[in-house]
Amino acid sequence: MTTSAVTAHGYELTSHDFAPSPPGREREFVETGHNLVNAEAPKIENGKPWTRTQLGELFSSLASTGYLRSTIDGPFEPARLTLAQHASLLEGVASRAPFLSNHSAQRYIAESGTDRAKAMYLSSLLSGSMIGAIAVTEPAGGSDARRTQTNLTPNTDGSYLIAGTKTWVTHGLTADLGIVLASDHTGQPRRVIVELDQPGITRTPIASHGLRHLTFASIAFHDAKVEPWNVLDEDGLEGAKKGFATARALVAVQAASIGLSSLYHAVHHLSTRQARGRALTSSEVIRIEIGRMASQLCAARAFAYHAVAAIDENRPDSSAIACAAKSLAARTATETSTRVMQICGGYGFDDLAPFSNYRDDAEMLTTADGTEIINEMVWGKHIIDRILDQR
Ligand SMILES: Cc1cc2nc3c(=O)[nH]c(=O)nc-3n(C[C@H](O)[C@H](O)[C@H](O)COP(=O)(O)OP(=O)(O)OC[C@H]3O[C@@H](n4cnc5c(N)ncnc54)[C@H](O)[C@@H]3O)c2cc1C
């Protein structure tokens, strides 16, 4: 069965059950995410991002699904999800609200936070009343997280002062706290929890090309305060890297979701268009195009769930696989959503049709959580090492 919902523009959204479901994908979680977000997500007014209030309501309504809790252990409600269940939920959510995020900060605090930080933030993050952001990228370059120029200086009262600038922070204008990568006074990378509504912090919006329901911002820290209990107990760089694999696998699943949504809408539109006395969906040329794109998207989605399984099984190659899966899915979604715009004729370029949003969102995902070049470099090295190791 394929469920669908009609948006304000009158077009349908789908949970993608027209395509074969790959191993690891849990259909009922896809349906839950899809149905909930289509019922609860607000309309995007004049291309403006959702407000803090709208996001708070959406996250609160998602809390009962496990979206905010994901794989966190502990005595919380609802039950802990497996990573595959969380990925499936995100696939459904991405049909209407791709890259909605706000599920990582709580995972990092649960894994490496002090007891005091857990007590202060976890319940609010898990209920959706607080929004968490991740701040790693800096204006001088985001691909190499080792070069962080944001500094933590010890304060006389035992706290720290943080100074530096982060950029492209998702939920940058709406988040209540950030997990920020910085260097401490000994040069060690540390991740710290920074409350973002305090003096000494300036947030500047970035006018983004896609994902227009969200805000992205540069955040400047001018000696803002970091309490000693808000320093995560880990090597900051290792913590950030560990988080990347999961983030990339989840982006891969969402990118495939965007591509499949654009294909679904294209087929519906083409079925209403006539050429030589018959619907365009009866044309062999169109069938070949649609079939080819569907195969590419199915392969990308299956590889994304393969990456999810590799992470869940803690396989040593999971990080490289997640890089490859993310790169493939974002590229495939970008290519297919661009192609469907072209084969839908004039309607493809009508802003009231969903296609340009799908293409713009997919393009943004090629860079979020690491560019295609960076992800392919990691994957290529992994494959070359594997081949040469077998000599
Ligand atoms: C939608 C979206 C959401 C994001 N959300 C967040 C967020 O929440 N938090 C956060 O911290 N960041 C976020 N980012 C930032 C993102 O992680 C960075 O944009 C990305 O890592 C690339 O960094 P950069 O933009 O500084 O590019 P740069 O590092 O300046 O790279 C520029 C170009 O050089 C290439 N390049 C870099 N290094 C090499 C190399 N060694 N060899 C060859 N080519 C190279 C890159 O592939 C790229 O094409 C987000 C970005 C987007 C688009």
Side-chain angles (χ1 to χ4, degrees):
M1 187 189 78
T2 297
T3 58
S4 62
V6 178
T7 69
H9 294 319
Y11 58 80
E12 285 192 339
L13 294 158
T14 170
S15 59
H16 313 142
D17 271 355
F18 56 87
S21 199
R25 177 178 184 265
E26 298 201 27
R27 184 178 164 278
E28 61 279 19
F29 283 87
V30 182
E31 295 271 323
T32 299
H34 166 81
N35 291 339
L36 197 141
V37 83
N38 281 297
E40 301 293 335
K43 203 175 137 189
I44 299 174
E45 304 277 3
N46 304 322
K48 289 208 181 110
W50 291 330
T51 63
R52 174 68 183 76
T53 307
Q54 289 174 320
L55 279 169
E57 286 167 3
L58 183 55
F59 286 127
S60 298
S61 67
L62 278 165
S64 64
T65 65
Y67 177 93
L68 298 170
R69 176 173 181 179
S70 67
T71 56
I72 294 173
D73 288 320
F76 306 110
E77 292 292 335
R80 174 195 188 279
L81 302 183
T82 64
L83 188 58
Q85 289 168 341
H86 194 227
S88 304
L89 197 55
L90 262 65
E91 182 190 329
V93 169
S95 66
R96 174 79 173 79
F99 206 62
L100 189 58
S101 309
N102 191 29
H103 45 74
S104 303
Q106 50 269 51
R107 215 169 49 244
Y108 301 143
I109 294 173
E111 280 166 11
S112 310
T114 62
D115 288 343
R116 186 155 175 183
K118 287 178 191 165
M120 283 181 69
Y121 303 118
L122 274 186
S123 69
S124 302
L125 286 166
L126 293 176
S127 69
S129 61
M130 201 175 234
I131 296 178
I134 308 300
V136 175
T137 306
E138 298 193 350
S143 298
D144 188 355
R146 286 169 301 187
R147 307 248 177 275
T148 180
Q149 291 172 19
T150 299
N151 292 315
L152 276 182
T153 313
N155 214 351
T156 45
D157 63 359
S159 65
Y160 295 86
L161 297 175
I162 186 165
T165 302
K166 296 292 178 180
T167 191
W168 273 106
V169 179
T170 305
H171 291 304
L173 294 186
T174 51
D176 304 287
L177 63 79
I179 306 285
V180 185
L181 180 67
S183 279
D184 71 11
H185 57 294
T186 68
Q188 288 304 304
R190 308 304 299 253
R191 287 195 302 173
V192 293
I193 305 165
V194 184
E195 294 191 9
L196 296 174
D197 287 326
Q198 60 164 307
I201 293 182
T202 316
R203 311 194 208 191
T204 309
I206 294 171
S208 75
H209 160 84
L211 298 170
R212 283 179 272 265
H213 49 295
L214 304 176
T215 65
F216 299 92
S218 289
I219 304 184
F221 304 97
H222 317 277
D223 283 339
K225 191 168 184 179
V226 178
E227 299 294 357
W229 54 85
N230 278 347
V231 179
L232 298 192
D233 185 14
E234 56 168 20
D235 175 300
L237 202 53
E238 287 309 310
K241 275 192 195 158
K242 199 170 145 216
F244 278 146
T246 302
R248 285 170 178 156
L250 295 177
V251 167
V253 168
Q254 295 180 79
S257 176
I258 294 171
L260 287 162
S261 293
S262 74
L263 192 73
Y264 174 90
H265 292 300
V267 169
H268 272 283
H269 174 68
L270 293 167
S271 73
T272 68
R273 310 296 290 175
Q274 300 273 318
R276 297 183 184 170
R278 55 186 192 153
L280 272 175
T281 38
S282 304
S283 144
E284 266 136 30
V285 174
I286 292 294
R287 285 177 177 174
I288 290 168
E289 287 254 20
I290 296 294
R292 192 173 289 152
M293 287 189 282
S295 308
Q296 288 165 342
L297 286 164
C298 286
R301 183 170 67 171
F303 198 26
Y305 279 99
H306 178 73
V308 166
I311 294 166
D312 235 358
E313 292 160 15
N314 212 11
R315 283 174 43 182
D317 55 358
S318 58
S319 183
I321 293 173
C323 287
K326 188 261 173 183
S327 176
L328 175 69
R331 182 173 63 248
T332 306
T334 303
E335 285 169 1
T336 50
S337 54
T338 304
R339 184 68 191 134
V340 299
M341 280 178 85
Q342 294 158 352
I343 63 175
C344 282
Y347 178 66
F349 301 97
D350 183 336
D351 267 351
L352 289 180
F355 300 111
S356 57
N357 284 334
Y358 288 136
R359 181 207 52 196
D360 295 347
D361 292 354
E363 277 184 334
M364 297 272 289
L365 294 190
T366 62
T367 295
D369 290 302
T371 64
E372 191 171 338
I373 289 174
I374 294 296
N375 282 302
E376 297 287 7
M377 278 191 333
V378 174
W379 172 240
K381 177 180 184 310
H382 171 77
I383 289 296
I384 289 168
D385 289 349
R386 291 284 302 260
I387 291 171
L388 297 183
D389 279 354
Q390 286 173 358
R391 279 190 301 194

